[in-house]
């Protein structure tokens, strides 16, 4: 099965959700394509969960519309529920039930016949690597394992779209990369995946496209690469073995290279801010002609962190208090 | 299989599984009522005037009180599991699946009713060992179970409504505790209202527990008092309809 590239999975139009006088979502317009891993990236309180809960029929919008695969989430909620899987932000498991009992419960809630359910349960357990722990109460599982039980439950009915709200929140590094791998496998099977995150690294590594959200509003939209490019600030740093005799001349020569916006030369290094992507060979050639001995060249894109600050005016998270 | 019964059955099984895994809750739930009967029965037995109870056997008098008290406790606790489900986010998972919203509620009714019925049978069994034989026999036991289930359903609905109205579970437990004690002590559970001071008697007669207890007590002590029984069953059905309507309104607002 492959996703139909270009076909719309979710359409969000003029979405508003108010709690009293505060607008958790404040006029959001978004289109999510089938087959993509789409991320809503924003700090705590940005309105990600609220948006996700509206898409999954758990909350009603104050105004605006959301359609999932053509079905309105309010008027046609039951049709939407059949097509989606949802993994909430909390560790939403029943600690008294075993992994198998969770899957059996959800098989019944999605009205699978026993004949269909049995192989699906095996398959889901295998996908999340829990096949050997099926009969243990989930209360004894680690955070990462609980999250994998939840993901397995969300996959049983073979949903077209899987929603994950901060899937790796509070997980250790290893469990986090395990969850990321599961999500990549799902994408390969053609599933559309929507995740909420406030981890820049997660958004960067996992998502085909991102919506940067802050205070209930869309601030930027695009692939991680596009967003970083969009800042237009690739930096090339040239390190020299020793300082050149005529730094001023080197500066002017580099400045003349097409696509270079700004150059500063300082002793044994030159820093070039680029206006657009530029080949390195012209830069290297100018250095050589100016009598410089090249030690190293670094080419850096702006990070997603810089993108985030650029569009929202602040960092995504306060630094963790140690 | 009919999808409604598939989902309701699965949810009901989950409540029983949880109960079976919570050993302490299970043991207390099943044996506490028995203990009440033995404790209250023994401590009041010699200290009071038999005429106040309409029977010489205080255990026989107490049985009806313990039956209704037990259903009261189980029914009012009927919303607790959903409070936890809401706090853990599990409820959202249930609600994101294509189930009829009512199946969650109905599964609670089925679970609490079955649990209450089991508790009632344990109480009546214990009473039997103390030579308390219901005057109405097996049919009377059926009638007691019916009264118990009807009371339990209304109370469960009420508890579910409260569970969604009150956001913290500590607040919920405080409120339940606050409601339960006067409902039991200002009723005919422990003593006949005839022996109460006038003002207390007036309050006790306004307490629906009193009427329910009296109906069950008649079935155990006296026989078929049809008028009383029909009125109580009618009133309980009205109570159920009222509670279910009120609570579904609260639930629809909370989860709809
Ligand atoms: N049930 C609620 N009642 C009142 N305010 C809420 C409620 N849920 C969320 N909010 C507020 O809406 C805003 C967005 O919350 P949320 O969607 O949970 O953000 P995120 O998931 O991005 O952290 C926050 O300011 C939050 O306090
Ligand atoms: Mg959130």
């Amino acid at each position: 099965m492959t996703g139909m590239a270009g076909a719309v999975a979710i359409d969000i139009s003029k979405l508003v959700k108010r709690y009293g006088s505060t607008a958790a979502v404040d006029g959001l317009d978004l289109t999510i394509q089938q087959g993509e891993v789409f991320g809503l990236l924003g700090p705590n309180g940005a309105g990600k969960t609220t948006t996700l809960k509206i898409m999954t029929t758990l909350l009603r919008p104050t105004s605006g519309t959301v359609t999932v695969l053509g079905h309105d989430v309010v008027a046609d909620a039951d049709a939407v529920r059949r097509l989606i899987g949802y993994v909430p932000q909390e560790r939403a498991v029943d600690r008294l039930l075993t992994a198998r009992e969770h899957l059996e419960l959800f098989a019944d809630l999605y009205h699978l016949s026993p004949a269909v359910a049995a192989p699906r349960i095996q398959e889901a357990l295998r996908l999340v690597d829990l096949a050997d722990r099926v009969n243990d109460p989930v209360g004894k599982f680690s955070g990462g394992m609980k999250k994998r039980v939840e993901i397995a439950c969300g996959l049983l009915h073979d949903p077209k779209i899987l929603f994950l709200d901060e899937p790796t929140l509070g997980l250790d590094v290893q469990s986090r990369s395990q969850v990321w791998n599961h999500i990549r496998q799902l994408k390969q099977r053609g599933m559309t995946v929507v995740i909420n995150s406030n981890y820049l690294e997660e958004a960067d590594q996992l998502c085909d496209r991102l919506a940067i959200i802050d205070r209930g509003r869309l601030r930027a939209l695009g692939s991680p690469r596009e967003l970083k490019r969009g800042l237009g600030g690739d930096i090339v740093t040239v390190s020299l073995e020793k300082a050149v005799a005529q730094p001023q001349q080197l500066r002017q020569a580099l400045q003349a290279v097409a696509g270079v916006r700004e150059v500063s030369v300082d002793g044994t290094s030159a820093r070039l801010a680029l206006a657009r992507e530029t080949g390195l060979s012209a830069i290297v050639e100018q250095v050589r002609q100016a009598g410089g001995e090249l030690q190293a060249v670094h080419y850096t894109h702006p990070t997603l962190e810089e993108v985030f600050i650029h569009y929202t005016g602040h960092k995504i998270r306060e630094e963790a208090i140690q | 299989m009919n999808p409604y019964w598939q989902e309701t059955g699965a949810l009901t099984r989950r409540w029983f599984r949880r109960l079976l895994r919570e050993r302490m809750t299970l043991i207390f739930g099943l044996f506490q009522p028995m203990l009440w009967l033995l404790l209250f029965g023994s401590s009041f037995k010699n200290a009071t005037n038999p005429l106040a109870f309409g029977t010489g056997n205080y255990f026989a008098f107490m049985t009806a009180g313990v039956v209704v008290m037990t259903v009261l406790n189980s029914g009012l606790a009927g919303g607790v599991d959903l409070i936890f489900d809401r706090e853990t986010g599990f409820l959202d998972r249930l609600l994101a699946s294509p189930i009829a919203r009512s199946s969650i509620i109905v599964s609670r009714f089925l679970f609490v009713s079955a649990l209450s019925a089991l508790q009632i049978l344990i109480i009546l069994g214990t009473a039997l060992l103390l030579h308390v034989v219901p005057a109405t026999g097996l049919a009377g036991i059926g009638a007691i179970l019916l009264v118990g289930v009807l009371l339990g359903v209304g109370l469960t609905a009420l508890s579910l409504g409260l569970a969604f109205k009150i956001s913290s579970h500590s607040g919920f437990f405080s409120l339940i505790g606050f409601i339960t004690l006067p409902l039991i002590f200002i009723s005919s559970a422990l003593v006949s209202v005839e022996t109460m001071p006038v003002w207390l008697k007036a309050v006790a007669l306004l307490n629906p527990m009193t009427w329910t207890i009296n109906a069950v007590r008649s079935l155990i002590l006296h026989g078929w008092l049809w008028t009383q029984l029909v009125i109580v069953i009618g009133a309980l059905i009205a109570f159920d309809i009222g509670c279910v309507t009120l609570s579904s309104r609260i639930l629809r607002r909370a989860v709809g």
Side-chain angles (χ1 to χ4, degrees):
Chain A
M1 194 179 85
T2 53
M4 295 165 39
V8 173
I10 300 170
D11 191 57
I12 300 177
S13 170
K14 301 191 179 69
L15 182 65
V16 175
K17 177 68 183 183
R18 278 181 203 291
Y19 290 109
S21 61
T22 59
V25 180
D26 194 8
L28 191 63
D29 288 288
L30 261 188
T31 305
I32 297 173
Q33 307 294 331
Q34 287 187 33
E36 70 179 342
V37 178
F38 190 91
L40 296 174
L41 179 69
N44 281 334
K48 305 181 298 295
T49 297
T50 307
T51 307
L52 207 72
K53 283 193 174 182
I54 292 171
M55 292 193 270
T56 52
T57 77
L58 295 169
L59 280 177
R60 279 164 186 266
T62 306
S63 64
T65 54
V66 177
T67 57
V68 173
L69 297 166
H71 303 280
D72 186 273
V73 292
V74 177
D76 211 359
D78 226 44
V80 173
R81 290 177 191 134
R82 272 174 231 288
L83 294 168
I84 62 167
Y86 169 56
V87 179
Q89 186 172 330
E90 304 87 352
R91 302 277 154 74
V93 290
D94 184 334
R95 66 187 176 83
L96 295 172
L97 299 189
T98 66
R100 177 179 295 287
E101 286 164 349
H102 275 85
L103 289 159
E104 286 169 355
L105 172 66
F106 282 95
D108 282 330
L109 299 186
Y110 285 91
H111 309 125
L112 305 183
S113 71
V116 173
R120 293 255 184 105
I121 290 175
Q122 289 309 327
E123 158 78 6
L125 286 169
R126 202 185 44 73
L127 182 82
V128 298
D129 292 324
L130 282 171
D132 53 337
R133 296 291 299 273
V134 283
N135 295 321
D136 294 350
V138 166
K140 293 184 182 153
F141 284 13
S142 70
M145 290 167 73
K146 284 180 186 154
K147 195 46 88 178
R148 276 143 60 199
V149 172
E150 285 192 76
I151 293 174
C153 290
L155 293 177
L156 267 189
H157 58 294
D158 199 14
K160 298 285 175 286
I161 306 176
L162 183 66
F163 293 88
L164 300 126
D165 198 344
E166 310 224 6
T168 62
L169 185 72
L171 298 189
D172 59 71
V173 176
Q174 195 193 344
S175 307
R176 187 177 301 169
S177 69
Q178 228 168 352
V179 168
W180 288 352
N181 280 335
H182 298 321
I183 294 173
R184 289 194 189 100
Q185 283 176 23
L186 296 175
K187 177 186 156 61
Q188 260 163 26
R189 304 202 314 191
M191 199 176 281
T192 308
V193 181
V194 180
I195 62 174
N196 278 355
S197 184
N198 68 17
Y199 283 120
L200 293 158
E201 193 195 346
E202 180 165 87
D204 207 353
Q205 293 218 0
L206 214 52
C207 296
D208 298 317
R209 286 199 309 145
L210 289 176
I212 292 183
I213 298 199
D214 193 33
R215 300 201 188 98
R217 295 200 179 171
L218 181 67
R219 306 290 163 160
L221 178 69
S223 71
R225 202 178 145 93
E226 282 165 3
L227 288 169
K228 287 183 278 192
R229 288 254 179 85
L231 244 48
D234 290 3
I235 304 287
V236 176
T237 313
V238 178
S239 308
L240 303 173
E241 292 291 349
K242 55 183 193 301
V244 288
Q246 308 268 356
Q248 198 53 31
Q249 204 178 329
L250 175 61
R251 202 191 68 80
Q252 276 165 9
L254 290 172
Q255 184 76 71
V257 175
V260 172
R261 186 160 50 88
E262 207 182 305
V263 181
S264 60
V265 177
D266 173 22
T268 57
S269 77
R271 188 173 176 280
L272 295 80
L274 306 186
R276 58 187 160 80
E277 212 167 341
T278 304
L280 288 176
S281 55
I283 295 172
V284 171
E285 180 59 22
Q286 291 301 331
V287 172
R288 205 181 56 75
Q289 282 183 10
E293 262 181 82
L294 217 54
Q295 188 199 40
V297 179
H298 290 282
Y299 194 115
T300 48
H301 299 292
T303 61
L304 207 49
E305 168 104 55
E306 287 160 329
V307 172
F308 192 87
I309 294 170
H310 176 80
Y311 285 108
T312 65
H314 59 81
K315 287 191 174 189
I316 194 161
R317 244 173 303 157
E318 300 303 317
E319 295 314 323
I321 299 154
Q322 292 298 325
Chain B
M1 202 192 311
N2 175 312
Y4 190 79
W5 290 116
Q6 186 178 8
E7 68 205 32
T8 309
L11 291 168
T12 311
R13 267 199 303 284
R14 172 174 171 237
W15 306 129
F16 278 106
R17 278 196 172 126
R18 285 177 59 83
L19 179 68
L20 291 175
R21 304 259 155 88
E22 292 272 43
R23 281 289 144 73
M24 281 302 161
T25 316
L26 180 67
I27 290 168
F28 281 119
L30 295 184
F31 296 104
Q32 199 183 38
M34 206 161 117
L35 216 71
W36 272 353
L37 185 59
L38 294 172
L39 275 176
F40 282 133
S42 317
S43 57
F44 281 83
K45 175 164 75 171
N46 303 319
T48 44
N49 169 10
L51 295 178
F53 310 124
T55 167
N57 185 344
Y58 189 70
F59 290 115
F61 177 84
M62 272 298 296
T63 302
V66 173
V67 163
V68 174
M69 264 160 67
T70 303
V71 175
L72 178 71
N73 280 322
S74 296
L76 284 179
V80 173
D81 288 76
L82 281 180
I83 291 196
F84 289 128
D85 271 3
R86 197 171 56 157
E87 285 176 359
T88 59
F90 203 79
L91 183 65
D92 274 343
R93 290 213 73 142
L94 301 180
L95 293 173
S97 72
I99 57 174
R101 314 285 94 168
S102 67
S103 60
I104 299 177
I105 312 301
V106 170
S107 73
R108 289 306 295 176
F109 289 158
L110 291 174
F111 169 71
V112 175
S113 296
L115 181 64
S116 304
L118 187 64
Q119 289 173 315
I120 291 173
L121 291 175
I122 289 177
I123 298 164
L124 294 178
T126 311
L128 203 62
L129 296 177
L130 299 164
H131 310 293
V132 179
V133 183
T136 46
L138 275 182
I141 293 177
I144 294 172
L145 289 173
L146 176 67
V147 168
V149 166
L150 286 175
L151 178 64
V153 164
L155 292 168
T156 305
L158 206 62
S159 174
L160 288 167
L162 285 176
F164 282 91
K165 196 89 191 163
I166 300 171
S167 43
S168 78
H169 70 249
S170 57
F172 176 84
F173 286 119
S174 311
L175 183 67
I176 296 297
F178 183 76
I179 299 176
T180 312
L181 282 182
L183 278 177
I184 290 174
F185 285 103
I186 311 177
S187 80
S188 56
L190 304 174
V191 290
S192 161
V193 291
E194 301 309 323
T195 61
M196 291 178 176
V198 177
W199 67 272
L200 200 60
K201 179 176 168 180
V203 180
L205 285 175
L206 288 174
N207 180 354
M209 292 301 113
T210 300
W211 295 90
T212 316
I213 292 165
N214 288 350
V216 173
R217 188 164 287 151
S218 299
L219 289 166
I220 294 170
L221 297 182
H222 310 302
W224 297 101
L225 303 184
W226 285 109
T227 324
Q228 184 194 35
L229 189 62
V230 169
I231 289 174
V232 164
I233 287 178
L236 284 174
I237 290 172
F239 172 68
D240 288 351
I241 293 172
C243 291
V244 170
T245 313
L246 180 74
S247 295
S248 44
R249 216 170 276 160
I250 295 173
L251 293 186
R252 216 167 300 137
R253 211 170 311 136
V255 304

